[in-house]
Amino acid sequence: MRADESIGRRKLLKAGGASLATVGLMAAGCGGGSGSGSGGTVTLRHAWWGGEPRAVAIKKCIALFEKKYPKIKIQPEFTDYAAFWEKFQTQAAGGNPPDVFQNAVGFLRKYDKRGVLMDLNSQIKAGNLSLDGFRNGVEANGQVDGKQLGIPVGANTMSLVIDNKIFEKAGIKPEFGWTWDEYFDALQHIKDTQKIAGDTGYFGIMYLYDLYLRQNGKAFFTDTGLGFTEDDLIPWWEDGYKRVKSGVVCDPKKVAQVAPKSALSAGLAASEFTWDNFSVRYAGEGHPNIGLAPIPTVDGKDTGQYLGSLMLSISNKTKYPKEAAQFIDFMVHDPEVGKIMGYDRGILPTDEQYEAYTPSDDQNKAIAAFEEACQKEGVLGKITPHPSGADVAEAAFLRIAGDMSQGKTKVNAAVKQFFNEAKAAFAA
């Protein structure tokens, strides 16, 4: 993922993902959207979300694929994050999803449960799709209950994006192993000396809270639900509310006013937690001096981090599983595809592509250096499993945390509301 869809994602989550879950999904229907062409050719529909730069790059990759496989044609379909999933749910309900589509860990169990996703192990065994050469075991991100439901097209990890100039003026240099106490002391020092909020709003980021839980031997999700209790969440949100009121964390109303521009780029705060490859967003928004800093820890060592990824999946309804698998194999292994895509969807997933692409701009160089540093420090673990309904739970976490931080809901009531909505999402 990168900045263009992160804006759409935030819009969708704030709008309340629970409404999306109400759309009934059925495995019934036939087709798969592919059609036979003349001369024995087949057509595959390939759908993804993202901005125009991603669309341009993927279309270049499609042209290369069609040159190598002249009897397979790819019909592109793309939109922003929110519109993609709204459309996809309708297509899946009608039994006509795209043959190959972009996916993410939060949706694997949800759509497997509804019979939408193909288990790719059959195509791997048939030799149409290879899992060889994936870096740091990231191929496991697409595995659920023994099935291979997605193939990663990139990898990223959580980071703290900082305003280098402000941190330097404040005399703060984050290093691996710093603690949460040291992080919050740094934010207070920035507020006192630089007269700016230290953070844009850490407490509503589900993936960051997951890291904090992992540092404490728990996790946000289990295979079937939440991996923590109300008593775990209460102090996390109480702390966030307290820091908003003290001015250490940016006023959420001001954050909303500058959206879709980030509060960090708008000069409202000095740091923000997000996925490392999202950091290209800030340069695009005109911020001149962005850096990537390590995640704070509880014990001075364990960050709880893991590599997340965007993936490609195949519909169970496709008429052309072999050709769809060959397309995915090409998209994740071909070196020229790596050169074209760069780090648009995260650090390239396979050795062939990673070695073929050398970033030329400072921000992508910084992303590569950050992930290499995380690997060297040995902080990267395995991703936490996500249950069916995880996307709705994530939406609820962000939305309810936002209401709580603005004083619309008391902390205890907000926590109960979140657990009730999450429970309903998992039961859907």
Side-chain angles (χ1 to χ4, degrees):
M1 288 181 285
R2 95 178 252 183
D4 43 29
E5 80 263 16
S6 74
I7 297 172
R9 179 180 182 84
R10 181 160 293 188
K11 286 181 178 179
L12 175 63
L13 297 182
K14 286 186 175 180
S19 62
L20 296 179
T22 61
V23 180
L25 294 177
M26 300 178 294
C30 60
S34 301
S36 297
S38 60
T41 63
V42 301
T43 299
L44 301 173
R45 290 164 51 215
H46 175 39
W48 68 90
W49 66 84
E52 187 62 26
R54 178 176 297 171
V56 170
I58 291 179
K59 287 180 179 179
K60 289 180 180 178
C61 297
I62 288 173
L64 287 179
F65 175 79
E66 291 179 339
K67 185 176 182 180
K68 182 176 181 179
Y69 294 92
K71 291 189 176 183
I72 307 175
K73 303 301 179 184
I74 306 297
Q75 178 183 320
E77 300 176 4
F78 65 96
T79 185
D80 63 31
Y81 179 86
F84 175 91
W85 287 111
E86 290 170 358
K87 181 179 180 180
F88 185 84
Q89 289 198 84
T90 300
Q91 292 171 328
N96 191 36
D99 298 275
V100 180
F101 53 93
Q102 192 168 279
N103 208 345
V105 66
F107 298 90
L108 294 181
R109 275 196 169 88
K110 176 175 182 174
Y111 287 107
D112 182 45
K113 180 181 178 180
R114 289 157 172 76
V116 177
L117 304 182
M118 175 181 292
D119 181 359
L120 303 177
N121 281 317
S122 60
Q123 294 303 312
I124 294 168
K125 291 176 182 177
N128 300 320
L129 178 59
S130 173
L131 290 186
D132 293 340
F134 279 86
R135 305 177 68 248
N136 300 304
V138 74
E139 70 276 9
N141 289 4
Q143 296 169 2
V144 173
D145 302 329
K147 302 175 184 178
Q148 188 78 45
L149 300 178
I151 303 296
V153 292
N156 53 7
T157 190
M158 287 294 293
S159 66
L160 176 65
V161 180
I162 64 173
D163 185 313
N164 279 326
K165 186 176 182 180
I166 292 176
F167 270 68
E168 288 170 4
K169 283 186 175 181
I172 300 168
K173 187 177 180 180
E175 296 180 348
F176 280 96
W178 70 329
T179 66
W180 286 102
D181 287 341
E182 290 171 331
Y183 167 69
F184 288 123
D185 286 346
L187 298 191
Q188 185 66 55
H189 183 66
I190 287 172
K191 176 182 178 294
D192 294 341
T193 63
Q194 307 303 308
K195 309 304 179 183
I196 188 174
D199 182 85
T200 63
Y202 67 93
F203 47 83
I205 303 172
M206 186 206 82
Y207 285 102
L208 178 65
Y209 187 49
D210 184 29
L211 300 193
Y212 179 77
L213 289 168
R214 287 162 64 97
Q215 292 174 20
N216 286 277
K218 298 187 177 183
F220 199 98
F221 292 122
T222 67
D223 291 356
T224 57
L226 297 176
F228 62 101
T229 68
E230 293 184 17
D231 288 339
D232 293 318
L233 182 55
I234 287 171
W236 179 259
W237 276 356
E238 283 181 339
D239 182 79
Y241 183 73
K242 177 184 69 175
R243 296 185 195 279
V244 168
K245 292 304 175 185
S246 70
V248 171
V249 172
C250 189
D251 181 346
K253 294 180 181 178
K254 292 183 179 180
V255 174
Q257 288 171 357
V258 300
K261 189 174 186 178
S262 71
L264 179 59
S265 297
L268 298 178
S271 67
E272 180 168 274
F273 289 98
T274 190
W275 297 99
D276 57 5
N277 67 313
F278 281 17
S279 61
V280 297
R281 167 186 185 180
Y282 306 100
E285 292 178 340
H287 199 297
N289 199 2
I290 286 295
L292 296 174
I295 300 294
T297 69
V298 170
D299 61 4
K301 182 180 179 181
D302 183 15
T303 66
Q305 285 172 270
Y306 48 82
L307 291 175
S309 63
L310 288 179
M311 309 176 204
L312 293 180
S313 295
I314 297 178
S315 164
N316 239 344
K317 297 295 182 181
T318 184
K319 295 178 180 178
Y320 308 110
K322 175 182 177 180
E323 291 84 354
Q326 289 174 325
F327 176 61
I328 292 181
D329 191 77
F330 180 83
M331 292 295 287
V332 299
H333 288 290
D334 187 84
E336 291 303 312
V337 169
K339 293 178 183 179
I340 293 170
M341 295 305 303
Y343 294 163
D344 178 271
R345 296 182 291 192
I347 297 291
L348 292 160
T350 57
D351 291 331
E352 304 101 306
Q353 293 189 340
Y354 184 79
E355 293 168 3
Y357 173 71
T358 301
S360 57
D361 61 290
D362 290 341
Q363 196 55 54
N364 277 307
K365 287 180 180 178
I367 293 168
F370 178 73
E371 290 203 13
E372 288 173 0
C374 288
Q375 294 164 19
K376 183 178 179 180
E377 292 291 328
V379 299
L380 296 175
K382 293 184 178 180
I383 194 169
T384 305
H386 286 49
S388 176
D391 57 319
V392 179
E394 180 186 357
F397 191 82
L398 177 63
R399 170 172 45 82
I400 295 169
D403 290 343
M404 176 276 302
S405 67
Q406 295 184 52
K408 296 179 180 179
T409 308
K410 297 294 183 182
V411 171
N412 283 14
V415 170
K416 289 185 180 300
Q417 181 185 353
F418 167 71
F419 271 76
N420 287 338
E421 291 193 19
K423 182 178 180 181
F426 301 141

